[in-house]
Amino acid sequence: MNAYLDTLESPVGPIVYATDHEGAMLGLKFLDGCYPLTLEQELEQCSFLPVRGVSTAVRKQLLEYFAGERHHFDLPLALRGSAFQITVWQALTRIPFGETCSYGQLAVASGYPGA
């Protein structure tokens, strides 16, 4: 299955992101970050074939966010990982714009208060 990668210049540095064939987000990373694997390598480990392509919906929403015009993303997410990881990522999506959450609060919100 293909994963469509695109890059975007942002106020905090260049970003690479990937979507699946339906436009669901597969991943996003800052290009200037220090990671054990690139986004392309992570996708390959999950049996995706990374190819260059443009996801108009993702690009549009990211540009609106960085312009201060968007406070909520309504993109589909293709979450990958263990049941625990997916539960935590879903809890992260419920943190309102402009608010923060401690690891302890996130653990409780995820249903794993001791995590």
Side-chain angles (χ1 to χ4, degrees):
M1 182 181 310
N2 287 343
Y4 300 96
L5 286 103
D6 195 10
T7 55
L8 175 76
E9 289 297 325
S10 80
V12 291
I15 295 172
V16 62
Y17 60 90
T19 61
D20 66 12
H21 67 283
E22 295 178 344
M25 285 288 298
L26 292 168
L28 181 146
K29 284 189 174 188
F30 293 98
L31 285 175
D32 294 339
C34 188
Y35 309 102
L37 297 174
T38 65
L39 183 55
E40 292 91 336
Q41 291 168 328
E42 287 181 10
L43 292 166
E44 287 170 351
Q45 284 186 346
C46 295
S47 301
F48 284 97
L49 174 64
V51 296
R52 288 287 160 191
V54 176
S55 174
T56 306
V58 174
R59 175 175 285 278
K60 179 180 183 292
Q61 289 195 28
L62 286 171
L63 289 171
E64 289 170 352
Y65 173 79
F66 289 122
E69 300 166 358
R70 176 174 287 277
H71 297 149
H72 178 267
F73 292 93
D74 57 5
L75 299 165
L77 302 175
L79 300 176
R80 298 169 283 125
S82 69
F84 170 75
Q85 289 171 318
I86 290 171
T87 300
V88 172
W89 291 323
Q90 288 170 333
L92 286 168
T93 68
R94 293 189 295 272
I95 300 171
F97 176 81
E99 293 188 22
T100 60
C101 178
S102 71
Y103 285 118
Q105 291 168 321
L106 183 60
V108 168
S110 300
Y112 297 92

